[in-house]
Amino acid sequence: MDEKKFALLIDSDNVSSKYIKIILAELAKYGNVTYKRLYGDLTKPTNKSWKDALLSHSIIPIQQYNYTTGKNSTDSAMIIDAMDILYSGHVDGFCLATSDSDFTRLAMRLRESGMTVIGMGEQKTPEAFRESCERFFYLDLLADASSEEHAEEKVQIEEEPITPLPAIEAIIRKIIIENGTDGTSMDLGELGSRITKTYSSFDIRNYGYNKFSKFLEQFHSIRLESTSAGVTAHLQEVEIPLELIEHEIIRILKEEPKNTINLGKLNQMLTKTYPDFNIHNYGYSRFSKLLSEFTAVKVGALARSVTLDLKALPPEPAKPVKAPKTTRAKRPSSGKRPQRKKTSE
């Protein structure tokens, strides 16, 4: 089945460049992005950060000056382009990245033409625009959820030229959970396609493999099944008891200066001890949420650091106490051995 083709139209006046990776990652779950355009006055100081994002993500800028004070011509340019793309017949859907309710009628018109319309903006987005979209995503909430994932990967990526294998395994598991059949399995071809769409620099040859199936066989949490229809990747539950995870985290923190460590470094050290550790096995999407289960572990502001609270350390397992030997009271001795009674035959 062919993937849906989407046109991504971004309102730079209402969407920050810091959200671009989240926008593209979420949209990749629905199909292939064939149009990527940014609308706004890029000469404004507030839009300066978009210049680097344009180059690194192949986005076409549509420069739009404000012809009069107090009027926003960006909206008109974006609406006109959207209708041109609609009538070209080259796409199956649109993603409107904006927090402006002025695009409510545009979203409704596109849906009337059979288009899938996905909206992305911040929590301040008016309800009218949110409801006019088939799906709407809050970019600021998604950014909070992914900020620590970037923090966890940052330490690893800085130390190695390619993404480490534990990080790749976590990425693969996440893709299968979010997009696979019942969140447990996915066709091998589709899995490989989604990885390369999300991480364009991913190449199994960087790890010494020339077949994707051989590359996956090294992960204990993934099982491959070959049938006449093709190869399917299945997730295998490799769950480590939380008590062991807590014990190892406390041990790591005790050895750190001031009992504090970077969140990403902690995750990296934990996976060295338990290579199969994955937060998704415990029902969490964020490492900090799992850490909040432990009373002696405190997550710092912005989920960047973790500190051990020595006063809240769980008690050491109590050693089993041997029960005192009980002694039976001795009968007063008469000096004679008691005779056994004869039993009647």
Side-chain angles (χ1 to χ4, degrees):
M1 183 176 179
D2 294 335
E3 283 189 313
K4 285 188 175 182
K5 297 178 181 179
F6 278 85
L8 170 61
L9 309 182
I10 306 171
D11 176 12
S12 68
D13 295 332
N14 288 282
V15 173
S16 171
S17 62
K18 67 182 180 180
Y19 296 131
I20 186 58
K21 289 184 178 180
I22 297 173
I23 293 172
L24 294 175
E26 287 297 320
L27 194 53
K29 299 175 183 178
Y30 292 87
N32 189 23
V33 184
T34 55
Y35 286 83
K36 290 187 284 188
R37 297 183 181 179
L38 176 78
Y39 299 84
D41 186 356
L42 298 180
T43 62
K44 290 182 177 180
T46 53
N47 286 332
K48 186 178 179 180
S49 61
W50 270 110
K51 293 183 179 180
D52 293 334
L54 294 174
L55 296 174
S56 57
H57 298 285
S58 301
I59 301 173
I60 297 176
I62 307 298
Q63 172 63 33
Q64 191 64 41
Y65 296 99
N66 289 333
Y67 299 111
T68 58
T69 304
K71 298 290 183 178
N72 189 352
S73 56
T74 298
D75 297 2
S76 300
M78 190 165 156
I79 292 171
I80 292 171
D81 263 15
M83 298 309 296
D84 287 343
I85 296 172
L86 171 66
Y87 289 122
S88 72
H90 294 157
V91 298
D92 305 295
F94 286 79
C95 176
L96 305 179
T98 181
S99 297
D100 192 345
S101 62
D102 290 346
F103 294 101
T104 301
R105 185 65 187 95
L106 172 62
M108 295 169 64
R109 176 64 181 83
L110 294 174
R111 293 188 66 181
E112 288 173 358
S113 297
M115 294 286 106
T116 298
V117 179
I118 298 174
M120 296 190 187
E122 295 182 333
Q123 295 181 76
K124 64 182 180 181
T125 305
E127 183 181 5
F129 178 66
R130 300 199 309 266
E131 293 299 321
S132 66
C133 301
E134 188 170 329
R135 292 293 307 275
F136 186 87
F137 297 96
Y138 294 104
L139 293 174
D140 42 353
L141 295 182
L142 291 175
D144 291 340
S146 65
S147 60
E148 65 184 64
E149 291 182 12
H150 290 293
E152 292 168 14
E153 294 175 3
K154 187 177 180 181
V155 175
Q156 299 172 338
I157 293 173
E158 285 178 351
E159 293 178 354
E160 301 184 32
I162 58 176
T163 307
L165 287 174
I168 289 293
E169 184 177 10
I171 291 168
I172 292 172
R173 289 183 60 86
K174 182 179 180 182
I175 290 175
I176 295 176
I177 290 171
E178 293 181 351
N179 306 280
T181 304
D182 296 328
T184 60
S185 63
M186 180 178 283
D187 175 75
L188 197 66
E190 183 183 356
L191 176 59
S193 175
R194 287 188 177 275
I195 294 174
T196 52
K197 277 199 309 180
T198 308
Y199 302 92
S200 58
S201 61
F202 173 75
D203 191 333
I204 58 173
R205 292 173 296 182
N206 295 337
Y207 303 88
Y209 294 86
N210 55 13
K211 287 187 177 180
F212 188 44
S213 58
K214 289 292 183 183
F215 174 76
L216 293 180
E217 285 178 357
Q218 65 187 305
F219 301 128
H220 300 297
S221 63
I222 298 171
R223 175 178 59 84
L224 299 182
E225 180 185 16
S226 298
T227 62
S228 57
V231 181
T232 304
H234 296 270
L235 290 183
Q236 295 192 132
E237 296 300 329
V238 185
E239 188 168 324
I240 306 158
L242 275 176
E243 291 79 7
L244 292 180
I245 298 297
E246 181 181 19
H247 176 76
E248 180 62 16
I249 289 174
I250 291 174
R251 185 195 67 77
I252 293 172
L253 289 172
K254 282 183 176 180
E255 296 178 357
E256 291 294 315
K258 298 182 180 180
N259 304 125
T260 301
I261 193 174
N262 175 272
L263 187 73
K265 185 179 178 182
L266 174 61
N267 186 61
Q268 183 183 18
M269 295 178 70
L270 189 59
T271 52
K272 284 183 178 179
T273 305
Y274 298 109
D276 296 323
F277 169 72
N278 192 299
I279 58 173
H280 300 292
N281 291 345
Y282 304 90
Y284 296 94
S285 61
R286 287 185 278 175
F287 189 33
S288 63
K289 286 294 184 183
L290 183 142
L291 293 176
S292 64
E293 293 288 335
F294 310 136
T295 56
V297 177
K298 305 299 179 184
V299 180
L302 302 178
R304 292 177 180 174
S305 63
V306 183
T307 303
L308 179 64
D309 185 356
L310 296 174
K311 296 180 180 179
L313 281 176
E316 293 291 334
K319 295 181 180 179
V321 179
K322 294 183 179 179
K325 292 182 179 180
T326 56
T327 56
R328 293 181 179 178
K330 293 182 179 180
R331 293 180 179 177
S333 178
S334 58
K336 295 181 180 180
R337 187 174 182 179
Q339 294 182 351
R340 189 178 296 176
K341 290 183 180 181
K342 292 182 179 181
T343 57
S344 59
E345 294 181 357

